[in-house]
Every structure is written in structure tokens, then in C-alpha cells.
Amino acid sequence: MQAADKKLTQSEIDKRNKLKNEKPYVYEKIMKYDEKVKKGESIAILQFQYDYRCNFRCEHCCISKMEKKNRNFTVNDVKELSRQADEMGLAHIVLTGGEPLIFPEFDDIIKAIDPQKFYITSDTNGWFLDEARAKHLKDIGVDKIQLSIDSLSAPDHDDFRRKSGSHERCMKAIDAAQKAGLNIIVQTVVTKQRVRSQEFVDFITFLNNKGVGVFVSYAKPVGEWEGNNSVLISKDDMDYMRGLEKKHNVFTHLTPSYGLNLGCIAVKRMVSITMYGDIMPCPYIHVSLGNFFEEPLKDILQRGMKVRMFAKHIDTCLIAEDREFIEKYEVNRIDGKPLPVPYNEVFKKEDMLDK
């Protein structure tokens, strides 16, 4: 499933060479991904929800219904997570929340992950990302910022994020990250109502002109949008999106990159780790494949790769577009239950591979 280097874009080649110079150990792990994929192993980015504290109350929040448990991550637990992930040959951790930049132990978390062993991304809503903080993040080993912006219109963005003045701070955060030498992309939520709008095209163009790529997260009927199917995109909308990808620096988790075309990346290319240790197939499929505090990360990811729809190539976003998946699993087996739901309550024998 991995193409030759000659099929990488020039931008991807430049980024890979930069990584080779700055983090050679991480580079060597990534260069083994092709072999791991052929063996049917996960090469998951760990989307690590260390803490759910946040200074925003966004309209679409997908972690608002997570059940509280007795144990949550400490910095020492992060060290163990890093150790196990490194042993598996994983190379990328995304620190998220909540809002990571309000975590008082943020620097200790980055140190515990170990920047020499991982490419580290931090999500942020941008509120606290000024020039001084951006420079500090670069200095302690953060490589990339994923900044959430959801409209060119400041009032619309602020309303969606339920935080007056947040759009203005996001614009300053872009400049601060670029000045500090951080790689930065903008993550934006796209609904059925937005995907074909002129505002969305203008949004992409504006950010591309600032040298920033746009990562599209399709709306999902989970969290605060549980049961809200009116926001869901269609296959035709996804085809329209692929057309935009040919004209602009815009992409989704389905977009082939770095020679990999894995389709839906749940488990095989990403898992989400809740602050309570549950490991989910992605940030939006609220199923616990196992708990990090109870069994090894390797065993949990291997279990996830035995779920039929995660092991094979599926060229859609199951939780954003596949109405059959949404109805069968989300509506009938997940909605209304304490989250995340144990995997054996969601996936039955027929959902699992024989081997």
C-alpha cells in the first residue's frame, strides 16, 4: 500500500528530508512503515487526549460525553506509553484534549514523550499561542501545530467555538507559529451545509496564500452532535472534496500521503487514547478496544486490527458518511451508553476476522 518515493510530492520529500536531519531516529522508524503495513501491523498516530480541561465550549465537542473513570494519565504514565509505542515502531503522537496549552504539566508531558523518539503535534484552539509560547514549543521539541479555525468570518467562528475574540487570536497564532519555525496546519470542521459553499473555497484560498494547509474533519453524529444526521456529507460531497484537493493544499484523513493510501485510517493509521486510558479506533468511534492501564498497547492495537472494517481498505469515513455503519453501530450499539463502549458490546463475531 505504499508507493515509491518518486510518487511523493516535493513538499513531502522536503519534509521527510528535514525530519531526517532533525530527528533521524524518528525518520528511521517511518522508513519501516511500508514493511509494517505489508505485515498487517498498525502504524498508528497516537491521538492522545491527555486531559479534557478546556477554555472553550465548542458546538460540536465530541468528548463532552466521555464517562469519568477512577484513573487518568499522569506524566509517569506518559513515559510508559512512549516506551511501549517506541517498541512498536510508532513515530507520531498528537497531544490533544481539551486544550493542551492550558495543561500546567505541558512541558513535562513533552519531555515524557521524548521528542527525539517521536514527531510531536499539539492541537490548539489558538487562544494562548502567541509568539513567546510558539518559540517555547519549538524549543522543547514540538514539531507541529494543528490549529482549529472554522470560518473566514470572525463572528461565525466565534459563535461556533462559543468564544468571543477567538478568531482574532487564531490569526495571530498562525503568524506566531510560522515565525517560530513550527509546521502548522489548520483543522476545520466541514458539514453538509458548508462543503460546497464559496466561503469554504475562500477559506482554503486565504490560508493557502498564508502558506498553511487545511485539514478537513467531516462532521460526525457524535458528542454534542449525537443523532444530528443533517450535518453529514455524502459520497458525492467527498468526490467534490477530492476535486478541491487537486486545486488547493487541502486534505482529509482519506487523502493519500507520503506514499500511503490506506483509506479509512481507524486503527491502522490512527487510534485515540482517552485521558482514562481507553484506546478507541479514532477520535469519533467511541468504542474501547482495551485500556492502556490494564493491558499492553501492542495487544490492544492487534485486537483492533482484527476488526474486519478496520483491517481492510475502505475508501470512506465510516462515522461521517457510511449511513449503514452509523445506523448499525453508532445508533444501535453506541448512542446513549456510557462512553467509550467496550468493543465486545459493539463488534460481534461476524465483525471479526477469522485470523
Side-chain angles (χ1 to χ4, degrees), residues 29-248:
K29 287 198 286 187
I30 289 174
M31 294 307 292
K32 296 176 182 177
Y33 275 1
D34 185 39
E35 179 183 348
K36 292 175 71 65
V37 169
K38 289 175 180 177
K39 290 179 180 179
E41 298 178 12
S42 171
I43 54 169
I45 297 168
L46 303 183
Q47 196 246 20
F48 181 33
Q49 303 168 1
Y50 177 82
D51 196 319
Y52 294 147
R53 282 175 287 183
C54 190
N55 58 320
F56 282 18
R57 291 293 180 267
C58 301
E59 177 184 316
H60 68 313
C61 183
C62 68
I63 53 88
S64 59
K65 298 185 179 183
M66 286 294 171
E67 182 186 23
K68 292 184 178 180
K69 296 187 177 181
N70 292 330
R71 183 174 177 183
N72 53 274
F73 270 93
T74 65
V75 171
N76 282 335
D77 294 322
V78 177
K79 291 179 182 178
E80 178 59 18
L81 174 65
S82 172
R83 185 192 69 79
Q84 291 189 30
D86 181 46
E87 282 188 355
M88 293 177 64
L90 304 181
H92 189 175
I93 293 180
V94 178
L95 182 59
T96 187
E99 167 53 39
L101 296 190
I102 69 171
F103 300 164
E105 61 271 65
F106 184 96
D107 289 17
D108 292 332
I109 297 168
I110 299 302
K111 184 178 180 181
I113 292 171
D114 193 342
Q116 294 308 306
K117 293 180 179 178
F118 291 92
Y119 188 85
I120 301 175
T121 298
S122 179
D123 284 348
T124 184
N125 56 40
W127 191 263
F128 295 106
L129 189 60
D130 56 17
E131 288 188 9
R133 190 68 185 276
K135 183 180 183 302
H136 177 72
L137 296 184
K138 179 68 174 177
D139 289 343
I140 65 173
V142 174
D143 299 284
K144 182 177 180 180
I145 293 297
Q146 183 166 287
L147 175 67
S148 296
I149 308 178
D150 288 297
S151 178
L152 271 184
S153 163
D156 288 349
H157 170 87
D158 291 0
D159 183 60
F160 185 78
R161 295 285 165 177
R162 296 171 178 165
K163 191 75 169 180
S164 179
S166 60
H167 188 274
E168 180 182 2
R169 292 218 185 188
C170 280
M171 294 298 109
K172 293 178 180 178
I174 292 174
D175 295 337
Q178 290 179 324
K179 185 175 181 179
L182 289 162
N183 184 14
I184 181 170
I185 61 171
V186 162
Q187 183 269 345
T188 194
V189 177
V190 172
T191 61
K192 177 73 173 180
Q193 294 74 24
R194 190 185 186 206
V195 65
R196 296 175 187 260
S197 70
Q198 185 60 46
E199 180 274 332
F200 181 46
V201 174
D202 293 343
F203 178 90
I204 298 168
T205 302
F206 172 81
L207 290 165
N208 285 180
N209 286 341
K210 291 179 72 68
V212 178
V214 177
F215 171 61
V216 168
S217 179
Y218 293 127
K220 286 94 173 171
V222 300
E224 293 299 306
W225 277 353
E226 182 179 303
N228 185 4
N229 289 355
S230 68
V231 297
L232 302 184
I233 49 91
S234 65
K235 284 191 180 295
D236 286 344
D237 294 328
M238 293 174 73
D239 287 340
Y240 172 80
M241 185 69 225
R242 291 187 179 100
L244 291 181
E245 291 177 31
K246 296 177 181 178
K247 302 175 183 177
H248 306 277

Side-chain angles (χ1 to χ4, degrees), residues 269-282:
R269 186 68 178 112
M270 170 175 277
V271 291
S272 290
I273 306 174
T274 75
M275 70 176 289
Y276 307 111
D278 289 299
I279 297 179
M280 306 185 298
C282 83

